[in-house]
Amino acid sequence: MTMEKSYLLAIDQSTSGTKALIINRAGQITAQSAIPHRQYYPRPGWVEHDPMEIYANVIRSAHEALAIAGVGPESLAALTITNQRETAVLWDVTTGLPVHAAIVWQCQRTADQCAVYQKAGHEERVRSKTGLMLDPYFSAAKWGWILEHAEGVCEKLADGKLLAGTIDSWLLWKLSGGKTHATDYTNASRTSLFNIHTLQWDEELCGLFGVPLQLLPEVKGSDEIFGYTEDSELFGDCRVPITGVIGDSQGALFGNQCFESGMAKATYGTGTSVLMNVGESPIASGNGLVSAIAWGRGGKVTYAVEAVIRTSGDSLTWVRDNLGLFRTFEEMEQMLEHTPDSEGVYLVPAFVGLGAPYWDSYARASITGMNRGTTKAHIIRAAIESIAFQVHDAVKLMENETAVALQELRADGGASDNVKLMQFQADLLGKRVVKSEIAELSALGSAYLGGVGIGFWPSLEAIGTTREGSISYQPKMLPELREAHCSGWKKAVSSVLTRNA
């Protein structure tokens, strides 16, 4: 690597869109481009993306970010990737085309199949090897569904023309011109097929879910070099190493500098992931908490526990787009200035079931507690508060399961920009919430991992700190009011559950 290669290009491929960020040696974002992609809902509870649209947006956003920064691809030391997790893709190696739409992590189409596996007594086997419960949230059942339902897939499988992967694997394969079929430990650990103890794909689990082992990618540490860009539409003849591959929630954990055991963060996105670093050994978890790999770095693996919330920021999108209660988030903020309380209205956003601590795939959303005086502002406020309530549930679960008390919660993601949400979150937790002023912590996490891995920075300490300028929210709510809010929330949630929490 020569010194003129002064930048990293970080690709952040999320549930709602794709961002490309140019990052300099000071660890600063100097330019970025963001492009949304379409969400498809072919049936109730089903969610799909178009993998070709996503890849096209990666190319376009990369070009736009480089143009804004005024640099060319020859200035890039590496390209890094952070991505929406669990979303499943299956593609034809000869055509380079997906054989079916990507099945998104939110999608519930495999709920019945997972229930069959549960009744057959397979959940404990899956949990003991992967740290995950049997749930349609994870990738394995999605791949199994595509293999069973996609047209012509049996012939392609017999001819050895198929590959399976999560979004990172799909992008790696496309970016490398079909030369790299790989993933990292974090994404592999979210599939229900990867043994987090042996750090290998599990043949027995592949058989259970009907996913042939030969379709799956090679698994690497997040800081390794995965391959090089070979797609001429991206950088022409310029070959850029690809490194720093990590799932978006784990990327945010790293970007939030939660390097020590017991440190935790919440990423407020379409859904919310609450993740806690637990060190170099996995902690057995249950009651809706899952074990995960935080990252692989320097030949070692760091583990985490995670509580997953399926719908959080997406609740505000639903209130805006489906109910039409506001047009812009600025308008929403103005309405909330005059509505300091939801006045007993609760929105339980179980649009695609509920995650931790309930893990009820069949629960459906509801709005409760309305009266004749309820206004649209109260419903909007209830949607915001639903995010904080779910994170509160997740943190309490995490504390109970790990016997580690939360010291503070580090927050990132789009919805963390909402001041009222962050203050309500601190009030419910009774703990400080620290929100970074840098929103793109998943992308920065991938850049830090990849950058240190290739020597772009000599060490993590050499990178400018992302905690400078953080905003702290201290709890202000009286304990009896906090208890009243939480009691009302629990009652609202119990009304939508179809299984015991």
Side-chain angles (χ1 to χ4, degrees):
M1 187 181 71
T2 56
M3 289 304 293
E4 70 267 14
K5 294 187 181 297
S6 301
Y7 301 95
L8 299 173
L9 170 62
I11 299 298
D12 183 352
Q13 203 302 293
S14 73
T15 310
S16 58
T18 299
K19 294 179 182 176
L21 305 94
I22 306 297
I23 297 166
N24 64 18
R25 289 186 179 273
Q28 300 166 329
I29 299 169
T30 64
Q32 63 179 294
S33 170
I35 304 172
H37 59 257
R38 186 175 173 186
Q39 309 290 317
Y40 296 87
Y41 306 99
R43 296 186 189 179
W46 290 28
V47 191
E48 296 179 349
H49 292 160
D50 179 354
M52 295 301 291
E53 179 189 9
I54 286 174
Y55 183 64
N57 287 350
V58 167
I59 302 294
R60 180 182 154 197
S61 62
H63 289 165
E64 289 182 359
L66 287 169
I68 293 168
V71 301
E74 66 280 357
S75 298
L76 297 176
L79 181 153
T80 72
I81 298 173
T82 186
N83 59 285
Q84 57 168 312
R85 307 172 304 165
E86 298 95 15
T87 296
V89 188
L90 206 66
W91 63 94
D92 185 324
V93 298
T94 56
T95 65
L97 298 174
V99 299
H100 190 274
I103 302 181
V104 180
W105 56 270
Q106 296 167 304
C107 186
Q108 294 297 295
R109 76 184 65 193
T110 59
D112 289 344
Q113 184 59 54
C114 288
V116 170
Y117 293 147
Q118 287 172 335
K119 290 177 182 177
H122 295 302
E123 182 152 34
E124 184 52 40
R125 184 170 20 149
V126 172
R127 184 189 294 278
S128 66
K129 292 184 175 186
T130 69
L132 310 175
M133 69 278 295
L134 256 172
D135 193 88
Y137 186 96
F138 305 107
S139 313
K142 303 178 194 298
W143 285 321
W145 189 96
I146 296 174
L147 287 167
E148 184 177 346
H149 293 89
E151 185 177 351
V153 75
C154 292
E155 294 80 3
K156 295 178 188 296
L157 181 62
D159 292 341
K161 295 181 178 180
L162 287 182
L163 292 178
T166 42
I167 288 292
D168 61 308
S169 297
W170 165 246
L171 296 183
L172 282 165
W173 194 83
K174 295 291 284 184
L175 289 167
S176 67
K179 294 183 178 180
T180 296
H181 185 42
T183 188
D184 88 303
Y185 286 128
T186 68
N187 282 291
S189 76
R190 308 296 296 184
T191 63
S192 294
L193 298 179
F194 190 73
N195 189 314
I196 64 172
H197 307 283
T198 65
L199 302 180
Q200 295 178 332
W201 296 115
D202 191 279
E203 190 169 356
E204 182 184 23
L205 294 180
C206 287
L208 172 64
F209 287 98
V211 181
L213 189 64
Q214 66 268 23
L215 301 187
L216 298 173
E218 178 186 1
V219 186
K220 294 173 172 281
S222 306
D223 62 345
E224 296 185 49
I225 292 178
F226 285 72
Y228 294 82
T229 59
E230 302 281 357
D231 186 344
S232 60
E233 290 187 18
L234 181 63
F235 299 141
D237 295 331
C238 187
R239 297 173 76 246
V240 176
I242 305 171
T243 182
V245 178
I246 189 168
D248 53 9
S249 187
Q250 283 94 330
L253 187 72
F254 201 86
N256 266 303
Q257 299 184 18
C258 295
F259 302 145
E260 298 176 9
S261 179
M263 300 182 72
K265 67 89 207 178
T267 298
Y268 295 80
T270 302
T272 292
S273 162
V274 186
L275 202 60
M276 178 186 285
N277 183 332
V278 296
E280 295 184 0
S281 299
I283 290 180
S285 58
N287 298 318
L289 195 66
V290 300
S291 299
I293 293 176
W295 49 75
R297 177 173 176 261
K300 296 182 179 180
V301 166
T302 297
Y303 290 89
V305 291
E306 181 174 14
V308 172
I309 297 163
R310 288 175 171 165
T311 303
S312 55
D314 198 37
S315 302
L316 299 179
T317 304
W318 177 79
V319 169
R320 182 192 65 189
D321 297 347
N322 293 55
L323 299 189
L325 300 190
F326 65 94
R327 291 170 295 177
T328 66
F329 287 109
E330 291 77 13
E331 179 187 353
M332 180 191 76
E333 293 283 357
Q334 291 173 1
M335 293 170 64
L336 293 178
E337 286 297 328
H338 306 288
T339 312
D341 190 274
S342 67
E343 294 189 2
V345 177
Y346 292 89
L347 188 157
V348 182
F351 301 105
V352 287
L354 287 173
Y358 309 103
W359 286 102
D360 189 336
S361 298
Y362 298 100
R364 288 297 174 259
S366 75
I367 301 174
T368 65
M370 291 188 291
N371 59 54
R372 187 61 184 83
T374 297
T375 68
K376 59 184 180 181
H378 292 121
I379 296 174
I380 295 169
R381 179 85 193 194
I384 289 175
E385 292 181 353
S386 75
I387 301 172
F389 281 123
Q390 291 180 100
V391 171
H392 172 266
D393 287 347
V395 167
K396 292 306 174 186
L397 171 66
M398 195 169 283
E399 289 181 326
N400 291 338
E401 289 291 310
T402 64
V404 176
L406 178 75
Q407 298 303 311
E408 68 177 26
L409 184 70
R410 294 188 172 181
D412 65 275
S416 68
D417 290 336
N418 189 290
V419 172
K420 290 180 174 54
L421 170 59
M422 291 294 97
Q423 183 58 57
F424 192 68
Q425 188 71 82
D427 288 340
L428 285 184
L429 291 172
K431 300 286 179 64
R432 182 170 69 159
V433 173
V434 181
K435 191 265 179 186
S436 173
E437 288 195 311
I438 301 174
E440 314 300 344
L441 286 173
S442 294
L444 284 176
S446 75
Y448 294 165
L449 278 161
V452 173
I454 64 168
F456 186 77
W457 294 295
S459 66
L460 288 174
E461 291 72 26
I463 307 167
T465 177
T466 62
R467 305 312 301 172
E468 294 177 358
S470 297
I471 304 170
S472 293
Y473 295 87
Q474 299 289 350
K476 300 177 182 178
M477 186 179 290
L478 293 173
E480 54 268 27
L481 181 56
R482 180 187 305 131
E483 180 58 35
H485 278 301
C486 292
S487 177
W489 167 254
K490 290 176 182 176
K491 183 177 179 181
V493 171
S494 66
S495 70
V496 306
L497 294 177
T498 64
R499 56 190 268 186
N500 292 328

